[in-house]
Amino acid sequence: MNRTKRATLGGRLSAVLVAAGSAIGLGNIWRFPYVAGEHGGGAFLLLYLLSILLVGMPVMLAEFALGRSTQRNSVGAFGRYGAKWKAIGYLGLLTSFAILGFYFVVSGWTLGYLVRALGGTLQHDHTAAEYTALFTEFIRHPWQPLLYTALFVGMTHVVISLGVQRGIERTSKILMPLLFIVLIALAIHSLQMPRAAEGVRFLFEPDFSKVTGRTLLIALGQAFFSLSIGMGSMITYASYFRPETNLRHTAAGVTGLSALVAILAGIVIFPAVFSVGLEPEAGPSLVFVTLPGIFNDLPWSGLWSSIFFVLLVVAALTSTISLHEALTAYVHEEWHTSRRNSARIVSAATLLLAALASLSTGPNDALQLFGVSLFDALDFLSANILLPLGGLLTCLFAGWVLDRTTFDEQLSNHGTLRYRIRRLMRFLLRWFCPALLLLVFLDSLGLL
Ligand code: TRP
């Protein structure tokens, strides 16, 4: 592939925004509250923040350095260092595929809720039981969730086909800041609901009695998932970064924003969970059954819920774009077929998997893997096994295989930026992160 032909992204702000566009999505707003709810709230939040800081940041920097230095998709990037390393890239592609399999389904749900918000039907219900019934009826409907999932695959396909620059950059730039503002407004509202204090306590008061090795695995998995690392998305994105982009500031910005959105989502959801009389352990349905209760309490609830779901759809879209792009860039550059064709292949394959996952959590519960629905299996497998495994291999690769000069040059922009955390980064990538990830894996397999 000709280097000069590769698209580049705009200035420093754009690099942060597009990477944040990939990172911020349903992982922060839908997945974080539901896993935090299942794993004890405050203690989980603490483990999640530590995971982001001590493991997430180094891995993201390693992916950035690798992507920008090689200017390749993830398989090509690892392949520069010998064919056997391509395996890490392939693992990432498999992960991307697995994530899209359930992510498109949840994205479809957001679209379905948007349509209900616009049509005013979200406002008809008023009790916890009614909100839950609304959700269950929707996902069990024989064709509606499938239709919305397919629509979402179609939207992602269109953006990907328009190309990197026009599609991804513009969308992220305008709507991400807006999402942030709406979340803050909703958080303020949630905090004023009756029994809100219980939700705040649940989210911020750590109860370590519920913490096990497995909780740490799930917190690490959530950290990887919400930062879009461990599978090569950020390698592909960094290959489009400019030479002047400060990778450390970009990583710090993306990580900070992503954590902030997750915490904000928690402040929106948990006070309302207790206020409406729901259970924080509800699982993947948590956000969908809680949100209508928040909106119904507001003046102009139809308007608020419509704006919110539009933004949620966009946040999901900038994330599915990055997952899709990782696969499309690979097919395009390594299979030597046109970008359009590559995008079509990826969309068709992911649509098939997502359709099965959608059926598995709705009308067809015979579609199972490891004793749970295909949907739950893809969610668990990708976040808690594949991403941490990809992260482990990325750390080992960055710490032991990637030459020191390349890494340092990328992080200091060839010596033009001051860079004081060199030693710390090396230690984290070489020893700390791999050891921690390995221990957590062994523990959750019951081998410790
Ligand atoms: N981080 C996104 C979210 O929180 C999802 C996502 C996009 C992702 N690209 C990824 C997760 C790559 C893991 C790897 O919604």
Side-chain angles (χ1 to χ4, degrees):
M1 165 112 195
N2 186 340
R3 266 177 183 237
T4 53
K5 271 214 209 130
R6 272 186 93 86
T8 50
L9 297 167
R12 187 170 69 117
L13 193 60
S14 300
V16 177
L17 279 177
V18 287
S22 160
I24 296 170
L26 300 174
N28 309 69
I29 297 168
W30 159 73
R31 201 173 188 280
F32 173 77
Y34 110 65
V35 277
E38 281 180 343
H39 294 92
F44 184 86
L45 174 63
L46 201 66
L47 290 179
Y48 165 71
L49 292 176
L50 283 174
S51 305
I52 276 192
L53 211 62
L54 293 176
V55 187
M57 282 272 280
V59 174
M60 189 184 286
L61 280 175
E63 292 197 6
F64 279 175
L66 190 61
R68 196 173 58 175
S69 66
T70 54
Q71 304 266 302
R72 307 286 301 193
N73 66 80
S74 61
V75 172
F78 284 110
R80 279 279 166 94
Y81 290 80
K84 62 172 180 286
W85 300 110
K86 280 191 178 177
I88 309 179
Y90 286 123
L91 176 73
L93 295 178
L94 177 72
T95 313
S96 200
F97 187 58
I99 294 178
L100 280 175
F102 73 92
Y103 207 97
F104 271 138
V105 178
V106 185
S107 304
W109 296 349
T110 63
L111 214 49
Y113 267 65
L114 170 61
V115 170
R116 282 168 176 69
L118 288 170
T121 43
L122 217 51
Q123 287 81 269
H124 292 164
D125 298 333
H126 292 285
T127 64
E130 282 172 331
Y131 300 138
T132 310
L134 174 79
F135 178 75
T136 321
E137 271 163 35
F138 171 47
I139 67 165
R140 294 204 146 263
H141 193 275
W143 52 263
Q144 272 202 24
L146 281 178
L147 174 73
Y148 288 117
T149 300
L151 266 175
F152 214 94
V153 178
M155 280 159 51
T156 310
H157 182 85
V158 168
V159 179
I160 290 285
S161 305
L162 285 178
V164 176
Q165 215 164 0
R166 271 189 304 165
I168 304 176
E169 196 169 350
R170 248 193 244 157
T171 338
S172 309
K173 228 177 187 164
I174 308 165
L175 292 168
M176 282 291 121
L178 204 57
L179 174 70
F180 207 66
I181 296 170
V182 171
L183 273 178
I184 292 177
L186 287 181
I188 295 172
H189 169 66
S190 254
L191 289 173
Q192 290 163 356
M193 291 174 81
R195 294 182 66 195
E198 275 174 68
V200 175
R201 233 176 290 130
F202 179 80
L203 181 62
F204 290 108
E205 249 179 26
D207 170 9
F208 288 101
S209 64
K210 288 191 188 140
V211 172
T212 61
R214 195 180 156 86
T215 320
L216 185 55
L217 174 71
I218 298 197
L220 276 164
Q222 175 59 24
F224 279 95
F225 192 90
S226 72
L227 295 180
S228 301
I229 52 175
M231 54 66 69
S233 257
M234 289 301 184
I235 297 181
T236 309
Y237 266 27
S239 75
Y240 304 122
F241 284 178
R242 291 182 165 188
E244 317 78 83
T245 300
N246 183 327
L247 298 185
R248 281 164 298 134
H249 291 177
T250 307
V254 173
T255 309
L257 283 174
S258 182
L260 207 59
V261 171
I263 295 173
L264 271 177
I267 302 178
V268 173
I269 296 299
F270 287 112
V273 166
F274 288 90
S275 178
V276 175
L278 292 156
E279 291 295 324
E281 291 95 4
S285 66
L286 183 72
V287 170
F288 290 91
V289 297
T290 311
L291 279 167
I294 303 178
F295 295 122
N296 278 356
D297 233 29
L298 279 169
W300 304 305
S301 71
L303 183 67
W304 274 101
S305 53
S306 304
I307 294 175
F308 178 80
F309 280 109
V310 167
L311 295 172
L312 197 55
V313 163
V314 174
L317 187 62
T318 51
S319 300
T320 54
I321 288 168
S322 82
L323 289 156
H324 195 300
E325 173 64 22
L327 291 167
T328 303
Y330 160 74
V331 174
H332 175 44
E333 289 174 13
E334 307 293 320
W335 295 6
H336 306 289
T337 168
S338 73
R339 228 189 114 82
R340 260 166 193 270
N341 224 356
S342 316
R344 280 196 205 114
I345 295 171
V346 172
S347 298
T350 46
L351 176 59
L352 185 68
L353 184 65
L356 292 175
S358 174
L359 290 172
S360 81
T361 189
N364 189 345
D365 37 28
L367 283 163
Q368 291 197 348
L369 206 62
F370 311 121
V372 292
S373 72
L374 179 64
F375 176 93
D376 288 331
L378 289 172
D379 181 353
F380 188 87
L381 193 73
S382 57
N384 301 324
I385 312 283
L386 294 173
L387 289 177
L389 186 61
L392 170 67
L393 296 172
T394 306
C395 287
L396 291 173
F397 182 87
W400 300 92
V401 183
L402 187 69
D403 58 298
R404 195 183 283 231
T405 345
T406 305
F407 190 73
D408 287 346
E409 274 175 8
Q410 285 300 323
L411 291 196
S412 67
N413 288 357
H414 298 269
T416 56
L417 299 173
R418 279 176 61 205
Y419 167 31
R420 277 175 306 200
I421 49 169
R422 176 175 292 142
R423 280 248 184 93
L424 176 67
M425 274 306 134
R426 250 192 122 56
F427 170 74
L428 290 176
L429 285 171
R430 281 197 135 181
W431 300 104
F432 178 79
C433 302
L436 180 73
L437 286 167
L438 211 60
L439 282 177
V440 169
F441 266 131
L442 291 178
D443 180 66
S444 56
L445 289 174
L447 298 175
L448 277 190

